[in-house]
Amino acid sequence: MYNVAITGTGVFTPTARITNDELVAAFNSYADLWNAENAAAIASGTVEAKPHSSSDFILAASGIENRYVLDKEGVLDPARMYPRFTPRSDDQPGFMAEIGVDAAQKALSVAGVDAADVDLVICAASNMERAYPAIAVEIQQLLGAGGFAFDMNVACSSATFGIQTAADMIRSGSIRRALVINPEICSAHLEWRDRDCHFIFGDVATATLLERDEDLNVPHFKVLSTRCATQFSNNIRNNNGYLRRTIDAMEDRRDMQFMQNGRKVFKEVLPLVSKHIADHLADEGVAATDLRRLWLHQANKTMNDYIGKKVLGRTPAPDEQPNILQDYANTSSAGSIIAFSKHSNDLEPGDKGLICSFGAGYSVGSVIVERA
Ligand code: COA
């Protein structure tokens, strides 16, 4: 068995940014328009008026202040309320491939590795823009990588599940190098017209380069252990899929976008994740006091505060559990990798840390790393 290292990470961040105030202004205009169009039904009591959203609520409930998106105009247009992309021909790079390649090239450049020396590309994300050919195969070709490529989807846990999959192949010797890429165009599956969740998501792409930990002469993180777990739940669900036509569900239906029962998710996922991390650490003989840093999934600040406190047994210092959700919002599988990428260079040799993502499925994945 070979040892595994993370030698590079990369983050693609869109240029367009939406503040809570901009988002709320657009939502409130949409709600006013909708209420005016449905004034008679609202007056007769058959439908309820749409209430306004509020920046104060969003910050207090989630900790989110901004989000990046690939298209700001469509999202903020009260008559549209979702992104508008220019259609591309089959011969042009796809939307996910384009941002995935950007993040992957950054990760390769950090490690000083040539794309041709990569022999596995995994595109691990919450949504795929088409059924096939796999986005990962397109990314493999655009990068000039070798070997093979495939897509996988474990929602918000896709990155850590992808890392475990790649690490297992490196451990067994079937591959030497892998790129796990997470292009998350969350703006396209978020229901921007739903006040309960319209503030949650943003767009981004991340990439993690994993290599055989032999004679590496670049700074890196040893992958000490990986662990994944799942438990079925309908509390985070999106029913969009290839059977949509067969069930005569082509209309604008709420359940064809992201749906969640936020309160239940809170209540059920927190104990699941806290126990998962505690068990993983205990089985690997790593004490919580040995952890220099936690890079957690970036969905909600209160959730992260709770998990950090449970794992460390005390309130973590900001530098022990860095959050990026205030700037990026929830970027699904990419969140913990953004936190890792932006907040890991200062760790000293021997420092240990834990990457953990969790979400729909339910799913939870953790990676224990050590700075070499
Ligand atoms: N503006 C103003 N008020 C709002 C609002 C908004 N945008 N959205 C909801 N509210 C209101 C609700 O209607 C409710 O009012 P009520 O008490 O009169 O019924 C109140 O605020 C509380 O709403 P609730 O949905 O219970 O808020 P919350 O504290 O649970 O926070 C989330 C909502 C989504 C931030 C939170 O549940 C969450 O983060 N859950 C887990 C998310 C997660 O990890 N998801 C994984 C996806 S990958």
Side-chain angles (χ1 to χ4, degrees), residues 53-54 57 61 156 195-196 198-200 236 258 260 262-263 265-266 297 299-300 303 330:
S53 182
S54 120
F57 170 86
C156 289
R195 183 180 82 140
D196 289 345
H198 76 118
F199 52 89
I200 289 183
I236 313 170
F258 165 86
Q260 80 164 345
R263 283 279 153 133
V265 172
F266 235 104
H297 175 48
N300 182 293
M303 261 178 138
N330 183 343

PDB file of all heavy atoms in Angstrom, residues 53-54 57 61 156 195-196 198-200 236 258 260 262-263 265-266 297 299-300 303 330, ligand 1:
ATOM      1  N   SER A  53     -38.221  39.479   2.183  1.00  0.00           N
ATOM      2  CA  SER A  53     -37.030  38.891   2.810  1.00  0.00           C
ATOM      3  C   SER A  53     -36.298  39.989   3.567  1.00  0.00           C
ATOM      4  O   SER A  53     -36.654  41.174   3.473  1.00  0.00           O
ATOM      5  CB  SER A  53     -36.139  38.288   1.725  1.00  0.00           C
ATOM      6  OG  SER A  53     -35.010  37.679   2.303  1.00  0.00           O
ATOM      7  N   SER A  54     -35.271  39.604   4.339  1.00  0.00           N
ATOM      8  CA  SER A  54     -34.537  40.627   5.093  1.00  0.00           C
ATOM      9  C   SER A  54     -33.065  40.256   5.245  1.00  0.00           C
ATOM     10  O   SER A  54     -32.732  39.104   5.561  1.00  0.00           O
ATOM     11  CB  SER A  54     -35.215  40.815   6.460  1.00  0.00           C
ATOM     12  OG  SER A  54     -34.344  40.525   7.511  1.00  0.00           O
ATOM     13  N   PHE A  57     -32.173  39.019   8.727  1.00  0.00           N
ATOM     14  CA  PHE A  57     -32.500  37.615   8.960  1.00  0.00           C
ATOM     15  C   PHE A  57     -31.419  36.717   8.353  1.00  0.00           C
ATOM     16  O   PHE A  57     -30.959  35.758   8.983  1.00  0.00           O
ATOM     17  CB  PHE A  57     -33.869  37.249   8.353  1.00  0.00           C
ATOM     18  CG  PHE A  57     -34.126  35.761   8.374  1.00  0.00           C
ATOM     19  CD1 PHE A  57     -34.676  35.155   9.500  1.00  0.00           C
ATOM     20  CD2 PHE A  57     -33.776  34.953   7.295  1.00  0.00           C
ATOM     21  CE1 PHE A  57     -34.877  33.780   9.549  1.00  0.00           C
ATOM     22  CE2 PHE A  57     -33.976  33.580   7.336  1.00  0.00           C
ATOM     23  CZ  PHE A  57     -34.533  32.991   8.462  1.00  0.00           C
ATOM     24  N   ALA A  61     -29.410  34.145  10.543  1.00  0.00           N
ATOM     25  CA  ALA A  61     -29.762  32.723  10.429  1.00  0.00           C
ATOM     26  C   ALA A  61     -28.639  31.892   9.814  1.00  0.00           C
ATOM     27  O   ALA A  61     -28.539  30.696  10.071  1.00  0.00           O
ATOM     28  CB  ALA A  61     -31.029  32.562   9.583  1.00  0.00           C
ATOM     29  N   CYS A 156     -23.400  17.640  -1.246  1.00  0.00           N
ATOM     30  CA  CYS A 156     -22.402  18.483  -0.565  1.00  0.00           C
ATOM     31  C   CYS A 156     -21.172  17.696  -0.120  1.00  0.00           C
ATOM     32  O   CYS A 156     -20.143  18.293   0.203  1.00  0.00           O
ATOM     33  CB  CYS A 156     -23.020  19.163   0.643  1.00  0.00           C
ATOM     34  SG  CYS A 156     -24.173  20.454   0.174  1.00  0.00           S
ATOM     35  N   ARG A 195     -38.289  32.488  -0.327  1.00  0.00           N
ATOM     36  CA  ARG A 195     -37.677  33.310   0.712  1.00  0.00           C
ATOM     37  C   ARG A 195     -36.880  32.479   1.718  1.00  0.00           C
ATOM     38  O   ARG A 195     -35.889  32.945   2.272  1.00  0.00           O
ATOM     39  CB  ARG A 195     -38.787  34.093   1.437  1.00  0.00           C
ATOM     40  CG  ARG A 195     -38.292  35.046   2.488  1.00  0.00           C
ATOM     41  CD  ARG A 195     -39.438  35.759   3.153  1.00  0.00           C
ATOM     42  NE  ARG A 195     -40.047  34.950   4.198  1.00  0.00           N
ATOM     43  CZ  ARG A 195     -40.463  35.415   5.375  1.00  0.00           C
ATOM     44  NH1 ARG A 195     -40.345  36.714   5.623  1.00  0.00           N
ATOM     45  NH2 ARG A 195     -41.009  34.637   6.267  1.00  0.00           N
ATOM     46  N   ASP A 196     -37.340  31.238   1.971  1.00  0.00           N
ATOM     47  CA  ASP A 196     -36.697  30.409   2.994  1.00  0.00           C
ATOM     48  C   ASP A 196     -35.277  29.982   2.611  1.00  0.00           C
ATOM     49  O   ASP A 196     -34.500  29.578   3.474  1.00  0.00           O
ATOM     50  CB  ASP A 196     -37.524  29.144   3.269  1.00  0.00           C
ATOM     51  CG  ASP A 196     -38.805  29.476   4.014  1.00  0.00           C
ATOM     52  OD1 ASP A 196     -38.906  30.598   4.552  1.00  0.00           O
ATOM     53  OD2 ASP A 196     -39.709  28.617   4.035  1.00  0.00           O
ATOM     54  N   HIS A 198     -33.524  31.452  -0.526  1.00  0.00           N
ATOM     55  CA  HIS A 198     -32.969  32.170  -1.690  1.00  0.00           C
ATOM     56  C   HIS A 198     -31.562  32.716  -1.459  1.00  0.00           C
ATOM     57  O   HIS A 198     -30.861  33.051  -2.403  1.00  0.00           O
ATOM     58  CB  HIS A 198     -33.919  33.308  -2.128  1.00  0.00           C
ATOM     59  CG  HIS A 198     -33.881  34.526  -1.256  1.00  0.00           C
ATOM     60  ND1 HIS A 198     -33.496  35.756  -1.731  1.00  0.00           N
ATOM     61  CD2 HIS A 198     -34.159  34.704   0.066  1.00  0.00           C
ATOM     62  CE1 HIS A 198     -33.572  36.644  -0.754  1.00  0.00           C
ATOM     63  NE2 HIS A 198     -33.968  36.038   0.337  1.00  0.00           N
ATOM     64  N   PHE A 199     -31.142  32.750  -0.203  1.00  0.00           N
ATOM     65  CA  PHE A 199     -29.839  33.339   0.142  1.00  0.00           C
ATOM     66  C   PHE A 199     -28.740  32.308   0.294  1.00  0.00           C
ATOM     67  O   PHE A 199     -27.585  32.646   0.544  1.00  0.00           O
ATOM     68  CB  PHE A 199     -29.988  34.086   1.475  1.00  0.00           C
ATOM     69  CG  PHE A 199     -30.607  33.233   2.566  1.00  0.00           C
ATOM     70  CD1 PHE A 199     -29.816  32.452   3.376  1.00  0.00           C
ATOM     71  CD2 PHE A 199     -32.001  33.196   2.760  1.00  0.00           C
ATOM     72  CE1 PHE A 199     -30.376  31.665   4.374  1.00  0.00           C
ATOM     73  CE2 PHE A 199     -32.572  32.408   3.759  1.00  0.00           C
ATOM     74  CZ  PHE A 199     -31.758  31.641   4.563  1.00  0.00           C
ATOM     75  N   ILE A 200     -29.092  31.014   0.173  1.00  0.00           N
ATOM     76  CA  ILE A 200     -28.172  29.973   0.643  1.00  0.00           C
ATOM     77  C   ILE A 200     -26.923  29.787  -0.215  1.00  0.00           C
ATOM     78  O   ILE A 200     -25.821  29.690   0.317  1.00  0.00           O
ATOM     79  CB  ILE A 200     -28.935  28.622   0.762  1.00  0.00           C
ATOM     80  CG1 ILE A 200     -29.896  28.685   1.956  1.00  0.00           C
ATOM     81  CG2 ILE A 200     -27.983  27.471   0.942  1.00  0.00           C
ATOM     82  CD1 ILE A 200     -30.634  27.393   2.205  1.00  0.00           C
ATOM     83  N   ILE A 236     -33.245  17.029   2.328  1.00  0.00           N
ATOM     84  CA  ILE A 236     -32.628  17.881   1.296  1.00  0.00           C
ATOM     85  C   ILE A 236     -32.807  17.099   0.005  1.00  0.00           C
ATOM     86  O   ILE A 236     -32.313  15.972  -0.116  1.00  0.00           O
ATOM     87  CB  ILE A 236     -31.120  18.132   1.535  1.00  0.00           C
ATOM     88  CG1 ILE A 236     -30.840  18.518   2.979  1.00  0.00           C
ATOM     89  CG2 ILE A 236     -30.606  19.206   0.577  1.00  0.00           C
ATOM     90  CD1 ILE A 236     -29.359  18.545   3.333  1.00  0.00           C
ATOM     91  N   PHE A 258     -33.649  22.927  -5.731  1.00  0.00           N
ATOM     92  CA  PHE A 258     -33.242  22.560  -4.367  1.00  0.00           C
ATOM     93  C   PHE A 258     -34.380  22.791  -3.366  1.00  0.00           C
ATOM     94  O   PHE A 258     -35.009  23.846  -3.355  1.00  0.00           O
ATOM     95  CB  PHE A 258     -32.032  23.421  -3.976  1.00  0.00           C
ATOM     96  CG  PHE A 258     -31.714  23.434  -2.511  1.00  0.00           C
ATOM     97  CD1 PHE A 258     -30.914  22.443  -1.957  1.00  0.00           C
ATOM     98  CD2 PHE A 258     -32.207  24.431  -1.674  1.00  0.00           C
ATOM     99  CE1 PHE A 258     -30.612  22.458  -0.608  1.00  0.00           C
ATOM    100  CE2 PHE A 258     -31.904  24.455  -0.320  1.00  0.00           C
ATOM    101  CZ  PHE A 258     -31.110  23.464   0.210  1.00  0.00           C
ATOM    102  N   GLN A 260     -35.318  22.038   0.909  1.00  0.00           N
ATOM    103  CA  GLN A 260     -34.866  21.465   2.182  1.00  0.00           C
ATOM    104  C   GLN A 260     -35.807  21.837   3.315  1.00  0.00           C
ATOM    105  O   GLN A 260     -36.499  22.850   3.269  1.00  0.00           O
ATOM    106  CB  GLN A 260     -33.438  21.905   2.515  1.00  0.00           C
ATOM    107  CG  GLN A 260     -33.317  23.284   3.109  1.00  0.00           C
ATOM    108  CD  GLN A 260     -31.974  23.546   3.791  1.00  0.00           C
ATOM    109  OE1 GLN A 260     -31.220  22.624   4.065  1.00  0.00           O
ATOM    110  NE2 GLN A 260     -31.691  24.796   4.060  1.00  0.00           N
ATOM    111  N   GLY A 262     -34.970  22.961   6.504  1.00  0.00           N
ATOM    112  CA  GLY A 262     -33.756  23.452   7.164  1.00  0.00           C
ATOM    113  C   GLY A 262     -33.661  23.097   8.629  1.00  0.00           C
ATOM    114  O   GLY A 262     -32.603  22.695   9.116  1.00  0.00           O
ATOM    115  N   ARG A 263     -34.775  23.220   9.339  1.00  0.00           N
ATOM    116  CA  ARG A 263     -34.764  22.930  10.783  1.00  0.00           C
ATOM    117  C   ARG A 263     -34.423  21.469  11.063  1.00  0.00           C
ATOM    118  O   ARG A 263     -33.651  21.155  11.957  1.00  0.00           O
ATOM    119  CB  ARG A 263     -36.130  23.256  11.387  1.00  0.00           C
ATOM    120  CG  ARG A 263     -36.361  24.733  11.583  1.00  0.00           C
ATOM    121  CD  ARG A 263     -35.686  25.174  12.851  1.00  0.00           C
ATOM    122  NE  ARG A 263     -35.329  26.577  12.766  1.00  0.00           N
ATOM    123  CZ  ARG A 263     -35.577  27.457  13.715  1.00  0.00           C
ATOM    124  NH1 ARG A 263     -36.195  27.096  14.791  1.00  0.00           N
ATOM    125  NH2 ARG A 263     -35.184  28.702  13.580  1.00  0.00           N
ATOM    126  N   VAL A 265     -32.862  19.436   9.036  1.00  0.00           N
ATOM    127  CA  VAL A 265     -31.473  19.190   8.633  1.00  0.00           C
ATOM    128  C   VAL A 265     -30.545  19.537   9.796  1.00  0.00           C
ATOM    129  O   VAL A 265     -29.666  18.757  10.175  1.00  0.00           O
ATOM    130  CB  VAL A 265     -31.107  20.017   7.375  1.00  0.00           C
ATOM    131  CG1 VAL A 265     -29.626  19.923   7.067  1.00  0.00           C
ATOM    132  CG2 VAL A 265     -31.932  19.571   6.176  1.00  0.00           C
ATOM    133  N   PHE A 266     -30.780  20.699  10.353  1.00  0.00           N
ATOM    134  CA  PHE A 266     -30.017  21.148  11.516  1.00  0.00           C
ATOM    135  C   PHE A 266     -29.996  20.081  12.615  1.00  0.00           C
ATOM    136  O   PHE A 266     -28.952  19.677  13.097  1.00  0.00           O
ATOM    137  CB  PHE A 266     -30.731  22.378  12.083  1.00  0.00           C
ATOM    138  CG  PHE A 266     -29.867  23.563  12.207  1.00  0.00           C
ATOM    139  CD1 PHE A 266     -29.964  24.601  11.305  1.00  0.00           C
ATOM    140  CD2 PHE A 266     -28.947  23.651  13.228  1.00  0.00           C
ATOM    141  CE1 PHE A 266     -29.174  25.721  11.422  1.00  0.00           C
ATOM    142  CE2 PHE A 266     -28.150  24.766  13.350  1.00  0.00           C
ATOM    143  CZ  PHE A 266     -28.254  25.804  12.448  1.00  0.00           C
ATOM    144  N   HIS A 297     -17.541  21.828   6.125  1.00  0.00           N
ATOM    145  CA  HIS A 297     -18.518  22.196   5.100  1.00  0.00           C
ATOM    146  C   HIS A 297     -19.084  23.572   5.441  1.00  0.00           C
ATOM    147  O   HIS A 297     -19.308  23.889   6.609  1.00  0.00           O
ATOM    148  CB  HIS A 297     -19.625  21.141   5.076  1.00  0.00           C
ATOM    149  CG  HIS A 297     -20.740  21.474   4.146  1.00  0.00           C
ATOM    150  ND1 HIS A 297     -20.523  21.878   2.856  1.00  0.00           N
ATOM    151  CD2 HIS A 297     -22.085  21.475   4.321  1.00  0.00           C
ATOM    152  CE1 HIS A 297     -21.683  22.106   2.269  1.00  0.00           C
ATOM    153  NE2 HIS A 297     -22.649  21.867   3.140  1.00  0.00           N
ATOM    154  N   ALA A 299     -22.079  25.589   5.208  1.00  0.00           N
ATOM    155  CA  ALA A 299     -23.507  25.789   4.957  1.00  0.00           C
ATOM    156  C   ALA A 299     -24.071  26.850   5.886  1.00  0.00           C
ATOM    157  O   ALA A 299     -24.866  27.686   5.470  1.00  0.00           O
ATOM    158  CB  ALA A 299     -24.273  24.496   5.115  1.00  0.00           C
ATOM    159  N   ASN A 300     -23.655  26.809   7.125  1.00  0.00           N
ATOM    160  CA  ASN A 300     -24.299  27.655   8.125  1.00  0.00           C
ATOM    161  C   ASN A 300     -23.336  27.880   9.295  1.00  0.00           C
ATOM    162  O   ASN A 300     -22.770  26.926   9.820  1.00  0.00           O
ATOM    163  CB  ASN A 300     -25.575  26.946   8.596  1.00  0.00           C
ATOM    164  CG  ASN A 300     -26.344  27.762   9.593  1.00  0.00           C
ATOM    165  OD1 ASN A 300     -25.887  27.992  10.706  1.00  0.00           O
ATOM    166  ND2 ASN A 300     -27.524  28.210   9.197  1.00  0.00           N
ATOM    167  N   MET A 303     -24.150  26.088  12.593  1.00  0.00           N
ATOM    168  CA  MET A 303     -23.846  24.651  12.482  1.00  0.00           C
ATOM    169  C   MET A 303     -22.359  24.401  12.709  1.00  0.00           C
ATOM    170  O   MET A 303     -21.969  23.503  13.453  1.00  0.00           O
ATOM    171  CB  MET A 303     -24.187  24.171  11.068  1.00  0.00           C
ATOM    172  CG  MET A 303     -25.512  23.477  10.941  1.00  0.00           C
ATOM    173  SD  MET A 303     -25.761  23.048   9.214  1.00  0.00           S
ATOM    174  CE  MET A 303     -26.424  21.423   9.385  1.00  0.00           C
ATOM    175  N   ASN A 330     -23.048  29.052   0.759  1.00  0.00           N
ATOM    176  CA  ASN A 330     -22.881  27.601   0.666  1.00  0.00           C
ATOM    177  C   ASN A 330     -22.538  27.270  -0.790  1.00  0.00           C
ATOM    178  O   ASN A 330     -23.303  27.599  -1.691  1.00  0.00           O
ATOM    179  CB  ASN A 330     -24.204  26.937   1.096  1.00  0.00           C
ATOM    180  CG  ASN A 330     -24.139  25.421   1.105  1.00  0.00           C
ATOM    181  OD1 ASN A 330     -23.252  24.817   0.523  1.00  0.00           O
ATOM    182  ND2 ASN A 330     -25.116  24.803   1.759  1.00  0.00           N
TER     183      ASN A 330
HETATM  184  N1  COA B   1     -36.261  36.778   5.532  1.00  0.00           N
HETATM  185  C1  COA B   1     -36.996  37.020   6.632  1.00  0.00           C
HETATM  186  N2  COA B   1     -37.585  36.030   7.360  1.00  0.00           N
HETATM  187  C2  COA B   1     -37.434  34.770   6.918  1.00  0.00           C
HETATM  188  C3  COA B   1     -36.693  34.469   5.760  1.00  0.00           C
HETATM  189  C4  COA B   1     -36.090  35.533   5.063  1.00  0.00           C
HETATM  190  N3  COA B   1     -35.365  35.308   3.974  1.00  0.00           N
HETATM  191  N4  COA B   1     -36.715  33.128   5.584  1.00  0.00           N
HETATM  192  C5  COA B   1     -37.447  32.615   6.567  1.00  0.00           C
HETATM  193  N5  COA B   1     -37.898  33.596   7.388  1.00  0.00           N
HETATM  194  C6  COA B   1     -38.757  33.454   8.567  1.00  0.00           C
HETATM  195  C7  COA B   1     -39.555  32.169   8.525  1.00  0.00           C
HETATM  196  O1  COA B   1     -40.743  32.325   7.807  1.00  0.00           O
HETATM  197  C8  COA B   1     -39.783  31.899   9.993  1.00  0.00           C
HETATM  198  O2  COA B   1     -40.837  32.705  10.446  1.00  0.00           O
HETATM  199  P1  COA B   1     -41.854  32.145  11.562  1.00  0.00           P
HETATM  200  O3  COA B   1     -40.984  31.898  12.778  1.00  0.00           O
HETATM  201  O4  COA B   1     -42.818  33.271  11.715  1.00  0.00           O
HETATM  202  O5  COA B   1     -42.436  30.892  11.025  1.00  0.00           O
HETATM  203  C9  COA B   1     -38.494  32.413  10.659  1.00  0.00           C
HETATM  204  O6  COA B   1     -37.930  33.340   9.721  1.00  0.00           O
HETATM  205  C10 COA B   1     -37.513  31.305  10.930  1.00  0.00           C
HETATM  206  O7  COA B   1     -37.328  30.517   9.740  1.00  0.00           O
HETATM  207  P2  COA B   1     -36.553  29.160   9.722  1.00  0.00           P
HETATM  208  O8  COA B   1     -36.622  28.571   8.334  1.00  0.00           O
HETATM  209  O9  COA B   1     -37.016  28.301  10.843  1.00  0.00           O
HETATM  210  O10 COA B   1     -35.075  29.704   9.982  1.00  0.00           O
HETATM  211  P3  COA B   1     -33.805  28.927  10.488  1.00  0.00           P
HETATM  212  O11 COA B   1     -33.329  29.574  11.712  1.00  0.00           O
HETATM  213  O12 COA B   1     -34.001  27.448  10.511  1.00  0.00           O
HETATM  214  O13 COA B   1     -32.730  29.253   9.353  1.00  0.00           O
HETATM  215  C11 COA B   1     -31.675  28.149   7.490  1.00  0.00           C
HETATM  216  C12 COA B   1     -32.941  28.831   8.027  1.00  0.00           C
HETATM  217  C13 COA B   1     -31.946  27.613   6.103  1.00  0.00           C
HETATM  218  C14 COA B   1     -30.554  29.178   7.445  1.00  0.00           C
HETATM  219  C15 COA B   1     -31.264  27.015   8.442  1.00  0.00           C
HETATM  220  O14 COA B   1     -32.350  26.180   8.727  1.00  0.00           O
HETATM  221  C16 COA B   1     -30.145  26.147   7.920  1.00  0.00           C
HETATM  222  O15 COA B   1     -29.063  26.621   7.630  1.00  0.00           O
HETATM  223  N6  COA B   1     -30.362  24.821   7.904  1.00  0.00           N
HETATM  224  C17 COA B   1     -29.371  23.853   7.504  1.00  0.00           C
HETATM  225  C18 COA B   1     -28.865  24.191   6.173  1.00  0.00           C
HETATM  226  C19 COA B   1     -28.023  23.157   5.580  1.00  0.00           C
HETATM  227  O16 COA B   1     -27.028  22.765   6.089  1.00  0.00           O
HETATM  228  N7  COA B   1     -28.405  22.692   4.440  1.00  0.00           N
HETATM  229  C20 COA B   1     -27.643  21.794   3.755  1.00  0.00           C
HETATM  230  C21 COA B   1     -27.774  22.151   2.340  1.00  0.00           C
HETATM  231  S1  COA B   1     -26.386  21.614   1.552  1.00  0.00           S
END
